[in-house]
Amino acid sequence: MTEIRRRPGDGTGGLRTGAASFDSLREQAVALRREGLSRRQIRDRLAVHNNDILNRLLEGEPPPEWTKRPNAKDALRDRARELRLQGLTYDRIQLELGCSKSSISLWVRDLPKPDRRTPSDQAKIAGRARWEHELTVRDAARQETKQAARAAIGEMTERELFLVGVGLYWAEGGKDKPYARREKVQFTNSDPGMITTFLAWLKLLGTEPERIRYSVTIHESADVPAAERFWADLVGVDRSRFQKTTLKTHNPTTTRKNTGEGYHGCLVVRVLQGADLYRRIEGWWCGIVGAASHLTPRIRT
């Protein structure tokens, strides 16, 4: 090993920095750095008090994590890098974060430059951003209107539920035809709210639960067991109470929107021995139509 000789008062701890001496000292400095020592600890250990020489000895060696001070701008730097990777320019990043371009340049200089967009592309992007903002505003207004309308309903009386149920059945339920006598109560729908309201109406009429039968009708390509569980949970009965599910033949050439996890098919609700109830429903509906034709509307919409 090359002998290290030091001279007092030269700022290097007396080190004669010849090539061999420097290389030997650098090996020691690097080894200490990799052990996790700070610059001050290495300086004191090797008696090197000249910062320039210490910098040369540690050149290329990163500081240990414990010596790094937290930086208040770390979050800004990370966000700037995210935005740059999304293709934003320095100007856009500056508007987003409110920091200087020089800082942005320093933070993202190692990242690839985004492709330069033509004025036409920029216009399309700006137009899309405006449209997305408009959709957000419209959706907020839409939800506000719905919530206000919902609150306006308030409590429902039994008579109101009775009238709603009659209209509900006549819109969505099975009906008798002159050419085919079908005096039976059968209601089919895919909307859980419609099913819940219809069952509440049947309960209001005093229909015994034992007279009600359920079955599912759904496309064969859907998750049939999941749909059966969904409807059984909704109406609060065991799946064993359900009759055989009706499968609709899947046509691959048809583009259907009612797919995915939210698709549960339709629930069919039947009332056994329902001929008398059906006749009353038809009579009730005719009574509503007659009364409505002589009514002067007073409800504000």
Side-chain angles (χ1 to χ4, degrees), residues 6 38 41 65 82 96 103 112 123 145 181 186 207 212 214 223 228 234 236 290 299:
R6 295 177 172 83
S38 66
Q41 291 170 327
E65 289 296 326
E82 289 178 11
E96 181 80 17
S103 295
T145 300
R181 297 264 71 97
Q186 178 173 303
T207 307
I212 302 176
Y214 306 96
D223 188 343
E228 292 173 346
L234 180 76
I299 297 178

Side-chain angles (χ1 to χ4, degrees), residues 153-165 197 200 204:
I153 294 298
E155 297 291 330
M156 181 181 288
T157 65
E158 290 187 351
R159 176 170 175 76
E160 289 170 339
L161 176 58
F162 168 73
L163 295 174
V164 167
T197 305
L204 176 68

Side-chain angles (χ1 to χ4, degrees), residues 36-69:
L37 272 66
S38 66
R39 286 174 58 90
R40 176 174 293 181
Q41 291 170 327
I42 296 171
R43 180 196 67 189
D44 294 341
R45 184 76 62 88
L46 300 180
V48 177
H49 303 293
N50 185 297
N51 283 331
D52 291 337
I53 294 178
L54 188 61
N55 289 339
R56 290 170 55 199
L57 292 174
L58 297 175
E59 186 176 0
E61 290 298 315
E65 289 296 326
W66 71 269
T67 64
K68 296 180 180 178
R69 296 180 180 178

